[in-house]
């Protein structure tokens, strides 16, 4: 019969760096920060630089 791990067992399965973690906050695009605006600016900068270095050919 399989029993779920006890809290002590789950703690032992964690990587040592995670054993003292009590909470984690995940930002899901715009909940805590305006990450959508930051992502858009980063992608624009990346594509602008790429397109300057590799301009599209005219058909």
């Amino acid at each position: 019969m399989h029993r779920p791990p006890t809290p002590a067992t789950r703690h032992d399965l964690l990587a040592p760096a995670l054993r003292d973690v009590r909470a984690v906050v995940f930002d899901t695009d715009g909940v805590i920060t305006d990450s959508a605006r930051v992502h858009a600016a980063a992608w624009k900068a990346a594509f602008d630089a790429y397109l300057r270095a590799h301009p599209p050919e005219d058909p």
Side-chain angles (χ1 to χ4, degrees), residues 41-53:
W43 280 112
K44 181 181 182 332
F47 280 114
D48 286 352
Y50 179 83
L51 290 173
R52 273 193 301 278

Side-chain angles (χ1 to χ4, degrees), residues 8-33:
T9 305
R10 286 192 305 255
H11 182 268
D12 293 340
L13 294 174
L14 291 173
L18 299 175
R19 289 186 182 154
D20 293 328
V21 173
R22 297 289 179 239
V24 178
V25 175
F26 293 95
D27 180 20
T28 55
D29 286 337
V31 174
I32 297 173
T33 65

